[in-house]
Amino acid sequence: MKIGVILGSIREGRFGQGVADWVMEQIANYDAGDATFELIDLKAFNVPLLEVATVPAAANKQYDDENVTAWSKAIDACDAFIFITAEYNHGVPGAFKNAVDQLAGEWQGKTVAFVSYGAAEGLRSVEQWRQIVANFDMRDIRTQVSFSIFNEAQDGAFAPNERRAGEFTALLDSLLKTARA
Ligand SMILES: Cc1cc2nc3c(=O)[nH]c(=O)nc-3n(C[C@H](O)[C@H](O)[C@H](O)COP(=O)(O)O)c2cc1C
């Protein structure tokens, strides 16, 4: 089983980089059995804005754009996901939503858990993601880990509360249990 850890911010100097590094460190110390994890950095894919005439759900995973094709293959190869998401204007980040919209069957029925961050821990963003992924019949995990960008950073570096490691272990336990089922 392969779990894709999607870093969804494409901004220069993104806070999400520190969060993703921490997430991958936690995973390295977690006994995941047969599951493997791969960091999927949205920024590396240069996914264009969705302008094509064909609705992705009708594209049968065939795309004209090579960047969308690469993105499709990376997502299709995964059985489940961890979305690492910021919150922009009380909602999901536009570039991340656009990248999700570009695909369809690649997400269908898979399990997803959320790691968020923001001034209000990105909680509103995750609530929106839960509505969005419902359209792909994805199984969203209740347990989430949410960081404050003010209280969990020191001198610009990510500095999570001690209790986050335990919360993230609970997220992984639940994600793998549901994905395996
Ligand atoms: C366009 C924009 C809108 C934002 N709106 C919110 C918001 O509504 N709530 C919040 O908690 N933080 C908001 N922020 C602050 C972000 O939480 C903060 O900039 C964070 O570092 C963004 O994640 P990133 O650096 O990984 O892109 C906003 C940031 C940007 C760039």
Side-chain angles (χ1 to χ4, degrees), residues 106-150:
E106 296 89 338
W107 305 111
Q108 193 66 34
K110 296 178 180 176
T111 305
V112 59
F114 300 95
V115 171
S116 68
Y117 53 93
E121 301 185 352
L123 299 177
R124 290 168 291 222
S125 178
V126 174
E127 289 304 302
Q128 288 193 0
W129 277 123
R130 293 185 188 282
Q131 293 184 18
I132 292 161
V133 301
N135 191 47
F136 297 119
D137 207 12
M138 293 179 84
R139 303 291 182 256
D140 61 313
I141 298 302
R142 180 187 183 280
T143 305
Q144 66 190 63
V145 182
S146 299
F147 301 99
S148 163
I149 57 169
F150 296 132

